Structure formats: C-alpha cells, structure tokens
Amino acid sequence: MSDYYVPGKERASKVRQLFQRIAGRYDLINDIQSLGLHRLWKRKLVHQASLHTSAETLRPPLALDLCCGTGDIALALARHGFQVHGVDFSEKMLEIARERTPSELVQRVRWSCQDVLALSEPNGTYDLITCAYGLRNIADIPAAVALIHRLLKPGGQLLILEFGKPENPILKTLFRLYLKMVVPLFGLIFCRDAGAYSYILDSLDHYPAQRGIDELLRHQGFIQTSWQNIIGGTMSLSTAFKKR
Ligand SMILES: C[S@@+](CC[C@H](N)C(=O)[O-])C[C@H]1O[C@@H](n2cnc3c(N)ncnc32)[C@H](O)[C@@H]1O
C-alpha cells in the first residue's frame, strides 16, 4: 500500500503532503495519464453546471469548488460567469492556481487554503458546489457530503467528478492493472515517487464510487441524484440537487 494512504487521524496530513510533493508536475501527469481526456470530462462537468444555473437574479451565481487543486474547474466556472470560491489545503497547488488566473478573472475567483471540512460559511451560501477528483481524498466523506448539503442553497446543485469502479469484469481488471502498474511509473519518472501515484488505486479501493456516493447523497436528503459513467465507469460524473 502507498505510504500516502493512511486511514484514520493522519489521513488528511498524508494527503496534503502528497499534493505538496507533486504539485509542480500534477497538471503534466494528468494530461499524460488520461491522454488529455480529463480536460473533456471537466468540460462536461462545467457544461452540466451551466445547464442548471439560470440567471434568476442580476448577481452572478456563486460556486464553491472543493479540492480545487491547480484550478481547472474553478477557472472554467469563472469563465462561464460564476463567482467562484476555490478551496484546497495544499499551498503549492493553490500557488499554481493563482499563477494560472488570467487578469480578467481575478475578480471572479477567490482562493482559500484550508481543509474543506473546516469550512464555516453560513448555511445556503452557494448555488453550485463542485468537486473534481477530491472527494475520494477527504478523510470523512459522509461529513463532507453533510457539509456540502448545508452550504448549498435550496435548489442548488452538486457535481462530483471522480475515478469510478467499472462493472464489466474485463474492463475492471484492465483498469486496475493500469492504475497498479502504469500510473505509478508516471510518479516515479516525473516526481521520483511511485507511491504518490500508487495512492490512486489505494484510495479508490476505499472509496464507495458512483453507486455508493449516490446512496450517500440520497441518504443526506439530496434529490434528483444521478451519475453518468465515463469510459465504461472508469470515471463518473455524479449530480444531485438540494430540495427547494
Ligand atoms: C487530485 S487533486 C484534484 C485537483 C482538481 N480538482 C482537479 O480536478 O484537477 C485533489 C486535491 O484535493 C486537495 N484536497 C484533498 N483533501 C482535501 C481536504 N480535506 N481539504 C482541502 N483540500 C483537499 C489536494 O490538496 C489536491 O489539490
């Protein structure tokens, strides 16, 4: 098991250490390991967000991007007219997000360095909450889901993009082999740390994935929950709404 996957109290500090370590190579490895496809999947998420957020008021809709990392989703949402708050506990990932923020978007995005579980904003602050490749890393996933529900406005939307668990046994085997044998090599080559990328499979094994997350969301009181499988369920895009 990767040194970075530690259940219990130390989980968050190990995850933070991992992203501090790989921040400089994170975007490059994302492009390599997904053959650039993560860009399409993120675009799909932003498209889903725009579909559901109507301009009911004059002010721009408010979005919270959890585990924002180097800012792909937060910046894309800002480009689509959202006022965005990006939150991440890795200063180094946020440093890159800040550097990547074009001057015309500076007023549209606010970056905060903190653990998402410590967010203390008032109930019903956001029209939209997004989390791409973040939820799997959070030490207490049910607590994160409860927090998201609390922070959303009635009628607000949640979108989660994550690694998934394919049900086709052949695809499942191939996908696991890819994560076990190939992806850690990218960590080794680009960060001199195979464990930083073997972490993905370890964390996925402990993550409820698309089905389990959907159940958790319904249990929390979310409505209209659904998910789309991407590449046979190796990735998934889940969505849910808070009752009006
Ligand atoms: C795999 S990266 C995803 C980054 C970005 N959302 C993307 O899709 O490219 C996961 C990010 O979540 C952050 N993270 C993990 N757990 C967190 C927590 N509890 N609070 C804040 N950030 C967290 C990490 O620092 C890292 O930047």
Short mmCIF file of all heavy atoms in Angstrom, two decimals, residues 34-57:
data_model
loop_
_atom_site.label_atom_id
_atom_site.label_comp_id
_atom_site.label_asym_id
_atom_site.label_seq_id
_atom_site.Cartn_x
_atom_site.Cartn_y
_atom_site.Cartn_z
N SER A 34 -4.25 10.55 -18.56
CA SER A 34 -5.61 10.45 -19.14
C SER A 34 -5.58 10.71 -20.66
O SER A 34 -6.63 10.82 -21.29
CB SER A 34 -6.54 11.48 -18.49
OG SER A 34 -6.22 12.80 -18.92
N LEU A 35 -4.38 10.83 -21.22
CA LEU A 35 -4.21 11.20 -22.65
C LEU A 35 -4.96 12.50 -22.95
O LEU A 35 -5.56 12.64 -24.02
CB LEU A 35 -4.72 10.07 -23.56
CG LEU A 35 -4.04 8.71 -23.38
CD1 LEU A 35 -4.73 7.64 -24.21
CD2 LEU A 35 -2.55 8.79 -23.77
N GLY A 36 -4.96 13.38 -22.01
CA GLY A 36 -5.60 14.69 -22.19
C GLY A 36 -7.11 14.68 -21.98
O GLY A 36 -7.76 15.73 -22.01
N LEU A 37 -7.66 13.48 -21.73
CA LEU A 37 -9.13 13.37 -21.68
C LEU A 37 -9.75 14.05 -20.46
O LEU A 37 -10.93 14.39 -20.47
CB LEU A 37 -9.56 11.90 -21.74
CG LEU A 37 -9.32 11.22 -23.09
CD1 LEU A 37 -9.55 9.72 -22.99
CD2 LEU A 37 -10.23 11.83 -24.15
N HIS A 38 -8.95 14.23 -19.38
CA HIS A 38 -9.53 14.86 -18.19
C HIS A 38 -10.08 16.25 -18.53
O HIS A 38 -11.02 16.73 -17.93
CB HIS A 38 -8.50 14.92 -17.05
CG HIS A 38 -7.44 15.96 -17.23
ND1 HIS A 38 -7.43 17.15 -16.56
CD2 HIS A 38 -6.36 16.00 -18.07
CE1 HIS A 38 -6.39 17.87 -16.94
NE2 HIS A 38 -5.72 17.19 -17.85
N ARG A 39 -9.50 16.86 -19.57
CA ARG A 39 -9.98 18.19 -19.97
C ARG A 39 -11.43 18.12 -20.48
O ARG A 39 -12.25 18.98 -20.19
CB ARG A 39 -9.10 18.78 -21.08
CG ARG A 39 -7.71 19.09 -20.57
CD ARG A 39 -6.76 19.35 -21.72
NE ARG A 39 -5.41 19.55 -21.26
CZ ARG A 39 -4.81 20.74 -21.17
NH1 ARG A 39 -5.43 21.83 -21.55
NH2 ARG A 39 -3.59 20.83 -20.71
N LEU A 40 -11.70 17.05 -21.26
CA LEU A 40 -13.07 16.85 -21.79
C LEU A 40 -14.05 16.57 -20.66
O LEU A 40 -15.16 17.09 -20.64
CB LEU A 40 -13.10 15.63 -22.72
CG LEU A 40 -12.55 15.77 -24.10
CD1 LEU A 40 -12.79 14.48 -24.89
CD2 LEU A 40 -13.24 16.93 -24.82
N TRP A 41 -13.62 15.73 -19.70
CA TRP A 41 -14.51 15.36 -18.60
C TRP A 41 -14.81 16.59 -17.73
O TRP A 41 -15.93 16.77 -17.26
CB TRP A 41 -13.89 14.24 -17.76
CG TRP A 41 -13.49 13.04 -18.59
CD1 TRP A 41 -14.08 12.64 -19.75
CD2 TRP A 41 -12.39 12.14 -18.36
NE1 TRP A 41 -13.43 11.53 -20.24
CE2 TRP A 41 -12.39 11.20 -19.41
CE3 TRP A 41 -11.42 12.03 -17.36
CZ2 TRP A 41 -11.45 10.17 -19.50
CZ3 TRP A 41 -10.49 11.00 -17.44
CH2 TRP A 41 -10.52 10.08 -18.49
N LYS A 42 -13.81 17.44 -17.56
CA LYS A 42 -14.04 18.65 -16.77
C LYS A 42 -14.97 19.61 -17.51
O LYS A 42 -15.82 20.26 -16.92
CB LYS A 42 -12.70 19.32 -16.43
CG LYS A 42 -11.93 18.52 -15.37
CD LYS A 42 -10.51 19.02 -15.16
CE LYS A 42 -9.83 18.25 -14.02
NZ LYS A 42 -8.38 18.46 -13.96
N ARG A 43 -14.82 19.64 -18.84
CA ARG A 43 -15.71 20.48 -19.65
C ARG A 43 -17.16 20.01 -19.52
O ARG A 43 -18.10 20.78 -19.44
CB ARG A 43 -15.28 20.41 -21.12
CG ARG A 43 -15.14 21.80 -21.73
CD ARG A 43 -14.60 21.73 -23.14
NE ARG A 43 -13.16 21.62 -23.19
CZ ARG A 43 -12.46 21.12 -24.21
NH1 ARG A 43 -13.08 20.67 -25.30
NH2 ARG A 43 -11.16 21.08 -24.19
N LYS A 44 -17.30 18.68 -19.47
CA LYS A 44 -18.63 18.08 -19.31
C LYS A 44 -19.26 18.52 -17.98
O LYS A 44 -20.44 18.87 -17.92
CB LYS A 44 -18.41 16.55 -19.28
CG LYS A 44 -19.57 15.69 -19.66
CD LYS A 44 -19.03 14.25 -19.68
CE LYS A 44 -20.09 13.21 -19.82
NZ LYS A 44 -20.59 13.03 -21.16
N LEU A 45 -18.44 18.54 -16.94
CA LEU A 45 -18.93 18.98 -15.63
C LEU A 45 -19.40 20.44 -15.71
O LEU A 45 -20.49 20.78 -15.27
CB LEU A 45 -17.81 18.82 -14.59
CG LEU A 45 -18.14 19.23 -13.15
CD1 LEU A 45 -17.21 18.49 -12.17
CD2 LEU A 45 -18.03 20.71 -12.87
N VAL A 46 -18.58 21.28 -16.31
CA VAL A 46 -18.91 22.71 -16.36
C VAL A 46 -20.16 22.93 -17.21
O VAL A 46 -21.02 23.75 -16.88
CB VAL A 46 -17.70 23.52 -16.89
CG1 VAL A 46 -18.06 24.98 -17.12
CG2 VAL A 46 -16.54 23.41 -15.91
N HIS A 47 -20.31 22.13 -18.26
CA HIS A 47 -21.50 22.22 -19.11
C HIS A 47 -22.75 21.87 -18.29
O HIS A 47 -23.76 22.57 -18.35
CB HIS A 47 -21.34 21.27 -20.30
CG HIS A 47 -22.53 21.24 -21.20
ND1 HIS A 47 -22.91 22.32 -21.97
CD2 HIS A 47 -23.44 20.27 -21.43
CE1 HIS A 47 -24.00 22.01 -22.65
NE2 HIS A 47 -24.35 20.77 -22.33
N GLN A 48 -22.66 20.80 -17.49
CA GLN A 48 -23.80 20.40 -16.64
C GLN A 48 -24.15 21.50 -15.66
O GLN A 48 -25.32 21.74 -15.36
CB GLN A 48 -23.43 19.17 -15.81
CG GLN A 48 -23.34 17.88 -16.60
CD GLN A 48 -24.72 17.38 -16.97
OE1 GLN A 48 -25.61 17.36 -16.14
NE2 GLN A 48 -24.91 17.04 -18.22
N ALA A 49 -23.14 22.18 -15.15
CA ALA A 49 -23.37 23.26 -14.19
C ALA A 49 -24.11 24.40 -14.86
O ALA A 49 -25.07 24.94 -14.32
CB ALA A 49 -22.05 23.75 -13.64
N SER A 50 -23.68 24.74 -16.06
CA SER A 50 -24.29 25.89 -16.74
C SER A 50 -25.73 25.58 -17.13
O SER A 50 -26.59 26.46 -17.13
CB SER A 50 -23.50 26.24 -18.00
OG SER A 50 -22.14 26.15 -17.72
N LEU A 51 -26.02 24.30 -17.43
CA LEU A 51 -27.37 23.93 -17.83
C LEU A 51 -28.40 24.23 -16.75
O LEU A 51 -29.52 24.60 -17.03
CB LEU A 51 -27.44 22.41 -18.07
CG LEU A 51 -26.92 21.87 -19.38
CD1 LEU A 51 -27.15 20.35 -19.43
CD2 LEU A 51 -27.66 22.53 -20.53
N HIS A 52 -27.95 24.06 -15.49
CA HIS A 52 -28.91 24.13 -14.39
C HIS A 52 -28.93 25.45 -13.66
O HIS A 52 -29.78 25.66 -12.81
CB HIS A 52 -28.65 22.99 -13.41
CG HIS A 52 -29.00 21.66 -14.00
ND1 HIS A 52 -30.31 21.27 -14.17
CD2 HIS A 52 -28.25 20.67 -14.48
CE1 HIS A 52 -30.32 20.08 -14.73
NE2 HIS A 52 -29.08 19.69 -14.94
N THR A 53 -27.98 26.30 -13.92
CA THR A 53 -27.95 27.56 -13.18
C THR A 53 -28.47 28.68 -14.05
O THR A 53 -27.81 29.12 -14.97
CB THR A 53 -26.51 27.86 -12.70
OG1 THR A 53 -26.02 26.68 -12.08
CG2 THR A 53 -26.47 28.99 -11.72
N SER A 54 -29.71 29.07 -13.77
CA SER A 54 -30.31 30.11 -14.61
C SER A 54 -30.01 31.48 -14.01
O SER A 54 -29.75 31.61 -12.82
CB SER A 54 -31.81 29.90 -14.68
OG SER A 54 -32.33 29.99 -13.38
N ALA A 55 -30.06 32.47 -14.84
CA ALA A 55 -29.79 33.83 -14.38
C ALA A 55 -31.07 34.42 -13.79
O ALA A 55 -31.71 35.27 -14.38
CB ALA A 55 -29.29 34.67 -15.54
N GLU A 56 -31.45 33.93 -12.59
CA GLU A 56 -32.69 34.42 -11.97
C GLU A 56 -32.50 35.80 -11.36
O GLU A 56 -33.43 36.55 -11.20
CB GLU A 56 -33.12 33.45 -10.86
CG GLU A 56 -33.84 32.23 -11.39
CD GLU A 56 -34.11 31.18 -10.32
OE1 GLU A 56 -33.95 31.49 -9.13
OE2 GLU A 56 -34.46 30.06 -10.71
N THR A 57 -31.27 36.09 -10.99
CA THR A 57 -31.01 37.38 -10.36
C THR A 57 -29.93 38.10 -11.17
O THR A 57 -29.30 37.51 -12.05
CB THR A 57 -30.48 37.18 -8.92
OG1 THR A 57 -29.32 36.37 -9.02
CG2 THR A 57 -31.51 36.51 -8.03
#
